[in-house]
Amino acid sequence: MKRQEISVEKLLGIIEEKDRRIAELEQQVQWFMEQMRLSKRKQFGVSSEQTKIEQINLFNNEEEETHNLAITEQERIEVKAHYRKRTRLTTDKLPEDLPVEVIEHKLPEKECICLECGSELHTMGKETRDELKIIPAKAVIVRHIRHVYSCRNCEETSDHTSIVKADIPEPVIKGSFASPETIAHIATQKFMMGSPLYRQEQEWKQNGIEISRQTMSNWLIKACENWLEPIYEEMKKRLCEHEVLHADETVVQVLKEPGKAAQSKSYMWLYRTSGEAKHQIILYDYQPDRKHIHPEEFLKEFSGYLHADGYSVYYKLPEKITVVGCWAHVRRKFFDAMEALPKEKQAMSNAAKGVAYCDKLFHLEKQFALLCPENRLKEREKQSKPIIDEFYDWIRKLNVLPKTHLGKAVQYAQYQRKYLERYMLNGRLEISNNRAERSIKPFVIGRKNWLFSNTPSGARASAVYYSLVETAKENGLNPFEYLSWIFSQAPNLGKPGYVSTFADFLPGGMKIPAKVFIPQSKRTEPEKYAWEEDE
């Protein structure tokens, strides 16, 4: 009997161990299936994270009253149903201020005879068709001839002859044939249009102009060191005078960085003003690593609120800087957890409910957009605060495994709570750090084209050029015209007819000429994430 009892105990132990192992393997299979679904969505699915608030009823079928504080609801008028022919909608439009080249097509004079009676034909009407004609860029040589004057009488009668030279503007780079427009064109092609220097080299060659990519690189770096870096420093001073900023960072590869392998990561940090600033400033800062000393050094003169993601280095900044969390990152984690589930389980999942809570907060922020900061803060306390409290009560009661996508989303939200709630401290603060993410996006897109920087000096120059280009775009300036104006004015700083200080080049400066500004009708709104748009 004893032997039989021992064997049963062993058998039960084996069964228990196998059950435990089966449960563990099932969790692993579930985790791998989630990873596969997320990978498929990222590779083949749409990148949009758009959802509808109505997907999840947060308030247990209670009627929800939402007051639009930005726009008064117009009276609804019922109209009779009607049908119309479907037409293709397009936003293509030709500018009205373009010069028009008119080509008239007429019958030859001998053919202007009526085939019926032989009388002369007359023009009874005209048919018009517009075409957009593209004229490729045209290069010219600007030859500066400086006249030198002397006195004939002194040459004949005196041992001293005075020589007078006509005024001539200083070149952007001494000893080079690069003009302000040439360097501005190369810079905007690379840092705005994402065209690498080797492609520009081929384009120049197609026009019969032999300029190597190395020469273009040297021009960009030299012009940056001489004229753009002082402007960058002035912009940095002006940036740190604001009380609300945004920050973000992304990787960049630098091939010839001392003490590092070519495959190692360097970082491009971004700092920018918030929506409350009258004149926007966007600055990139190249650094060899991602340590906290870099934002601490860059922001040493700054005191106020800093919007950031959940990266821990921002929490090591001095106490004079209050870090504000990003609800968009919370939403993204719940959204990924929802997308990792089978489609039939997504709509009613806890992950979808987490997304709906975040969507509700963003929906309220849209309605508060036109309010003054004081009233916006009051409405947040009245409407947003209860939703945040309810959200955290809900996730506190969730029983989820920590290593699942939903578990990671819950952990992130709990760990970030005190930072996420700080946007309630001031009406000028924003609910997310999307403003910084949008500003760093042009650099990420450009990086896909030019791939890497060759040297640290090239990476630093890239940071400065991106700073001026993106700041110009944000303030309604034409980047090409803006850089051309800088490169023509800066070498002649302080001369009559030129600007007197580098601070005059900053957006909002009174001496920026009208041709640098983009007409209001041609300005484009900054790109938004799909789920930020109105439903």
Side-chain angles (χ1 to χ4, degrees), residues 117-233:
C117 67
S119 300
E120 183 179 355
L121 298 177
H122 72 94
T123 301
M124 61 170 288
K126 297 179 181 179
E127 296 179 355
T128 303
R129 184 186 82 222
D130 288 342
E131 297 177 344
L132 179 62
K133 180 180 178 181
I134 301 297
I135 303 173
K138 179 181 171 183
V140 298
I141 296 175
V142 178
R143 181 167 294 146
H144 293 270
I145 300 176
R146 183 179 191 178
H147 286 247
V148 182
Y149 300 87
S150 67
C151 176
R152 290 285 189 188
N153 184 54
C154 289
E155 288 177 353
E156 295 175 357
T157 62
S158 175
D159 58 352
H160 174 73
T161 303
S162 60
I163 297 176
V164 180
K165 297 182 179 180
D167 289 333
I168 185 172
E170 293 292 330
V172 60
I173 299 176
K174 292 186 178 180
S176 167
F177 59 81
S179 69
E181 293 79 7
T182 298
I183 300 178
H185 174 77
I186 295 171
T188 51
Q189 284 296 302
K190 179 174 181 180
F191 302 110
M192 181 179 171
M193 306 307 296
S195 179
L197 295 183
Y198 76 88
R199 292 184 192 167
Q200 295 192 51
E201 181 183 20
Q202 295 298 318
E203 184 180 2
W204 286 103
K205 192 175 292 185
Q206 291 289 329
N207 294 316
I209 303 173
E210 300 284 345
I211 301 178
S212 69
R213 69 191 78 172
Q214 184 62 55
T215 298
M216 288 188 278
S217 177
N218 291 339
W219 285 351
L220 291 175
I221 294 174
K222 189 67 176 176
C224 176
E225 292 174 348
N226 289 347
W227 315 121
L228 299 187
E229 286 188 2
I231 301 174
Y232 179 91
E233 292 300 322

Side-chain angles (χ1 to χ4, degrees), residues 167 485 488-490 492-500 504-505 511 513:
D167 289 333
W485 175 67
S488 62
Q489 292 278 320
N492 301 280
L493 202 67
K495 292 183 179 180
Y498 295 91
V499 299
S500 55
D504 293 330
F505 293 113
K511 296 187 178 180

